Coordinates of all heavy atoms in Angstrom, one line a residue:
Chain B
Q185 N 123.9 -48.9 148.3 CA 122.9 -49.7 149.1 C 122.5 -50.9 148.3 O 122.2 -52.0 148.8 CB 121.6 -48.8 149.3 CG 121.7 -48.1 150.6 CD 120.7 -46.9 150.7 OE1 119.8 -46.9 149.8 NE2 120.8 -46.1 151.7
A186 N 122.5 -50.8 146.9 CA 122.0 -51.9 146.1 C 123.1 -53.0 145.9 O 122.9 -54.1 146.0 CB 121.5 -51.4 144.8
Y187 N 124.4 -52.5 145.7 CA 125.4 -53.4 145.2 C 126.5 -53.7 146.3 O 127.2 -54.6 146.2 CB 126.1 -52.9 143.9 CG 125.1 -52.9 142.8 CD1 124.6 -51.7 142.3 CD2 124.6 -54.1 142.2 CE1 123.7 -51.7 141.2 CE2 123.7 -54.1 141.2 CZ 123.2 -52.9 140.7 OH 122.3 -52.9 139.7
A188 N 126.7 -52.8 147.3 CA 127.7 -53.0 148.3 C 127.2 -52.6 149.6 O 127.7 -51.6 150.2 CB 129.0 -52.2 147.9
P189 N 126.2 -53.3 150.1 CA 125.6 -52.9 151.4 C 126.6 -52.9 152.6 O 126.5 -52.1 153.5 CB 124.4 -53.9 151.6 CG 124.7 -55.0 150.7 CD 125.5 -54.5 149.5
A190 N 127.5 -53.9 152.5 CA 128.5 -54.0 153.6 C 129.4 -52.7 153.7 O 129.6 -52.1 154.8 CB 129.4 -55.2 153.5
L191 N 129.8 -52.2 152.5 CA 130.6 -51.0 152.5 C 129.8 -49.8 152.9 O 130.2 -49.0 153.7 CB 131.0 -50.8 151.0 CG 132.0 -49.6 150.8 CD1 133.3 -49.9 151.5 CD2 132.3 -49.5 149.3
N192 N 128.5 -49.8 152.5 CA 127.6 -48.7 152.9 C 127.5 -48.6 154.4 O 127.5 -47.6 155.0 CB 126.2 -49.0 152.2 CG 125.3 -47.8 152.4 OD1 125.8 -46.6 152.2 ND2 124.1 -48.0 152.8
D193 N 127.4 -49.8 155.1 CA 127.3 -49.8 156.5 C 128.6 -49.4 157.2 O 128.5 -48.6 158.2 CB 127.0 -51.2 157.0 CG 125.5 -51.6 156.7 OD1 124.8 -50.7 156.4 OD2 125.2 -52.8 156.7
S194 N 129.7 -49.8 156.6 CA 131.0 -49.4 157.3 C 131.3 -48.0 157.2 O 132.0 -47.4 158.0 CB 132.1 -50.3 156.9 OG 132.6 -49.9 155.6
L195 N 130.9 -47.3 156.0 CA 131.2 -45.9 155.9 C 130.1 -45.1 156.5 O 130.3 -43.9 156.9 CB 131.3 -45.5 154.4 CG 132.5 -46.2 153.7 CD1 132.6 -45.7 152.3 CD2 133.8 -45.8 154.4
G196 N 128.9 -45.7 156.7 CA 127.8 -45.0 157.4 C 127.4 -43.6 157.0 O 127.3 -43.3 155.8
I197 N 127.4 -42.8 158.0 CA 126.9 -41.4 157.8 C 127.9 -40.6 156.9 O 127.5 -39.6 156.3 CB 126.7 -40.7 159.1 CG1 126.0 -39.4 158.9 CG2 128.1 -40.4 159.8 CD1 125.1 -39.0 160.0
F198 N 129.1 -41.1 156.7 CA 130.0 -40.3 155.9 C 129.7 -40.3 154.4 O 130.2 -39.5 153.6 CB 131.4 -40.7 156.1 CG 131.9 -40.3 157.5 CD1 132.0 -41.1 158.5 CD2 132.3 -38.9 157.6 CE1 132.4 -40.7 159.8 CE2 132.8 -38.5 158.9 CZ 132.8 -39.4 159.9
I199 N 128.8 -41.3 153.9 CA 128.4 -41.3 152.5 C 127.5 -40.1 152.2 O 127.9 -39.2 151.4 CB 127.8 -42.6 152.2 CG1 128.8 -43.7 152.2 CG2 127.1 -42.5 150.8 CD1 129.8 -43.7 151.0
P200 N 126.4 -39.9 152.9 CA 125.6 -38.7 152.7 C 126.4 -37.4 152.9 O 126.1 -36.4 152.3 CB 124.4 -38.8 153.6 CG 124.7 -39.9 154.5 CD 125.6 -40.8 153.9
L201 N 127.3 -37.5 153.8 CA 128.1 -36.2 154.2 C 129.1 -35.9 153.1 O 129.7 -34.8 153.2 CB 128.7 -36.4 155.5 CG 127.8 -36.3 156.7 CD1 128.6 -36.4 158.0 CD2 127.0 -35.1 156.7

Side-chain angles (χ1 to χ4, degrees):
Chain B
Q185 272 163 10
Y187 296 109
L191 186 63
N192 191 45
D193 288 344
S194 75
L195 296 181
I197 191 146
F198 286 100
I199 292 290
L201 287 184

